[in-house]
Amino acid sequence: MTSLGGVDMVDWNLAVATATRLVRPGPEVSRDEARAIVGELRRHAVVSEEHVRGFTRLAPERPETGDTPVLVVDRPGWIRANVAGFRELLSPLLEKMGERRTNLPGGSVLGAVGGKVTGVEVGMLLSFLASRVLGQYETFAPATRELPGAPDGGGRLLLVAPNIVHVERELDVDPHDFRLWVCLHEETHRTQFTAVPWLRDHLEGEIQTFLSETEVDPGTLLERLREAAQSLAGGGEAGEEREERGSFVELVQTPAQREILGRLTAVMSLLEGHADYVMDGVGPSVVPSVTEIREKFSKRRASGAGRLDQALRKLLGLDAKLRQYRDGERFVRAVVDQVGMDGFNRVWTSPNTLPTKAEIAKPADWIARVHSKPE
């Protein structure tokens, strides 16, 4: 819990319980099938590491830093891991909001009730997301026995087995090829963080600076959260109205936050685009049906499941994530075409060599800035 003098802004335990109760069951598989799927995903993760490092020419400076665990999880496992990460990352913001609320008349009473309400609403949102994520490199949650991390405090690679099986069946593609293809993408994210030691701290610093600038009234933020959760129960005109209001990130109010958000968007576009580029670069040599998988998956990624799904994607900022895949991949491809993989890898030198949001759209500007020769 994020406890504030007895007042909990978010009941995280209730969030986990709610999400676990509401999340849809995964596809039906027998016990033997489940064991085989888990074993294959773990093997693919190991194989992907070699392919990704060879293609990207990235590797941890110290071998032990690359020893991050691969966790094949179900939907409740993904929920628990992400709640642990959210609790760690959002703690400063929640403390700030809690201090403001406890100074209001009746703030303690509102807090006791609000923490439960918000816990349920966070759980509802996580139940929606938990059935859609195929994999994730989770880096912010502290290591525990249930959620191990790298020896130096790094993250862990999560592969959500039921979601992978669901999508491979929905797309009607070769399951063995699809599982390896997914692992190539997710392994690229693990390689990014293990080979670039400063990346995790840089991202966390940017996020914490963003949160420290937040001056959103707690009631306003909780109302937006409530709207997102309620939209899970129905669509129609109400859903259309919510779609017009934009995502959580559009709560940004200050110029400083807009600037930070621009930098974060550029970094996330780079990371996602790089993973897609690597996945497609390695794929043809190790995934026989990669062309069919990419074509079907791209159509699925762009379309969404329906009006309600599209409204929620916009509200949660998931439509922005789709643009990050597309724009980031174009940036990486353009830079590698011009200066080669080693030239592109200068992007990992320091925070100063990361592309700006404008440079993601204009790769030539990044090349000119980073590769310019002193007179």
Side-chain angles (χ1 to χ4, degrees):
M1 299 278 182
T2 301
S3 186
L4 305 162
V7 177
D8 298 313
M9 287 293 295
V10 179
D11 187 332
W12 294 109
N13 292 335
L14 183 57
V16 171
T18 300
T20 301
R21 185 175 68 254
L22 294 179
V23 70
R24 292 181 296 180
E28 292 186 9
V29 295
S30 68
R31 188 180 298 272
D32 289 342
E33 284 179 310
R35 288 198 194 97
I37 291 165
V38 170
E40 184 174 28
L41 286 172
R42 287 176 176 158
R43 291 192 299 273
H44 282 334
V46 173
V47 170
S48 295
E49 182 178 304
E50 179 181 352
H51 291 312
V52 169
R53 291 183 182 183
F55 184 81
T56 63
R57 302 177 192 172
L58 294 174
E61 295 178 358
R62 294 177 291 122
E64 63 271 19
T65 62
D67 188 22
T68 54
V70 177
L71 307 180
V72 181
V73 299
D74 56 10
R75 290 168 179 176
W78 180 88
I79 289 167
R80 289 191 293 270
N82 277 268
V83 165
F86 291 158
R87 178 165 52 186
E88 184 77 9
L89 200 59
L90 296 177
S91 179
L93 173 62
L94 296 180
E95 289 178 5
K96 183 177 181 178
M97 292 173 59
E99 289 170 359
R100 292 183 60 178
R101 190 166 64 181
T102 53
N103 292 328
L104 297 174
S108 297
V109 175
L110 290 174
V113 176
K116 299 292 184 183
V117 173
T118 308
V120 171
E121 291 166 344
V122 169
M124 293 177 71
L125 293 177
L126 286 172
S127 72
F128 170 79
L129 295 173
S131 62
R132 285 158 173 76
V133 177
L134 301 183
Q136 173 187 359
Y137 186 75
E138 202 293 313
T139 185
F140 294 116
T144 63
R145 184 170 63 180
E146 295 76 20
L147 194 66
D152 63 345
R156 70 285 301 159
L157 179 62
L158 307 177
L159 297 171
V160 191
N163 295 350
I164 293 172
V165 173
H166 171 77
V167 174
E168 70 191 26
R169 291 180 178 179
E170 181 183 284
L171 297 181
D172 190 25
V173 294
D174 183 279
H176 309 292
D177 285 2
F178 184 75
R179 294 165 196 172
L180 176 56
W181 189 70
V182 171
C183 286
L184 289 170
H185 181 102
E186 303 307 333
E187 176 58 39
T188 302
H189 287 315
R190 181 164 68 157
T191 298
Q192 291 163 347
F193 281 91
T194 57
V196 186
W198 53 263
L199 183 58
R200 178 193 180 279
D201 290 340
H202 172 70
L203 273 178
E204 183 174 16
E206 290 279 63
I207 293 170
Q208 293 301 340
T209 302
F210 177 89
L211 294 177
S212 70
E213 293 284 335
T214 300
E215 294 295 342
V216 177
D217 177 80
T220 301
L221 186 58
L222 296 183
E223 178 60 28
R224 181 63 60 87
L225 186 63
R226 184 170 295 110
E227 289 178 357
Q230 290 174 347
S231 65
L232 291 170
E237 295 180 357
E240 292 171 3
E241 290 174 3
R242 294 186 189 101
E243 186 175 4
E244 293 302 317
R245 296 189 184 185
S247 69
F248 284 121
V249 295
E250 291 172 356
L251 288 169
V252 171
Q253 297 294 323
T254 70
Q257 284 181 309
R258 293 189 184 95
E259 184 177 336
I260 297 167
L261 187 60
R263 295 197 299 267
L264 283 170
T265 299
V267 174
M268 297 311 297
S269 296
L270 171 69
L271 298 180
E272 296 295 356
H274 184 233
D276 264 14
Y277 178 80
V278 172
M279 183 169 58
D280 287 345
V282 175
S285 62
V286 297
V287 182
S289 59
V290 65
T291 301
E292 177 191 5
I293 290 173
R294 163 56 82 184
E295 181 180 353
K296 290 183 175 180
F297 189 80
S298 295
K299 289 180 180 178
R300 180 185 185 276
R301 177 191 275 176
S303 64
R307 178 180 296 179
L308 176 59
D309 189 75
Q310 291 170 358
L312 281 168
R313 279 172 32 176
K314 180 174 177 61
L315 184 63
L316 298 174
L318 300 183
D319 55 342
K321 187 174 179 66
L322 298 182
R323 290 195 296 273
Q324 289 170 4
Y325 286 108
R326 182 188 65 235
D327 297 344
E329 196 274 340
R330 280 204 299 253
F331 170 84
V332 175
R333 185 173 301 280
V335 172
V336 173
D337 286 348
Q338 288 294 314
V339 298
M341 185 62 74
D342 290 334
F344 166 79
N345 281 341
R346 291 183 64 175
V347 78
W348 312 116
T349 304
S350 75
N352 292 329
T353 57
L354 290 172
T356 64
K357 189 175 180 180
E359 288 171 341
I360 287 289
K362 296 183 178 180
D365 290 352
W366 180 86
I367 294 173
R369 176 171 67 86
V370 174
H371 286 266
S372 61
K373 297 180 180 179
E375 296 185 8

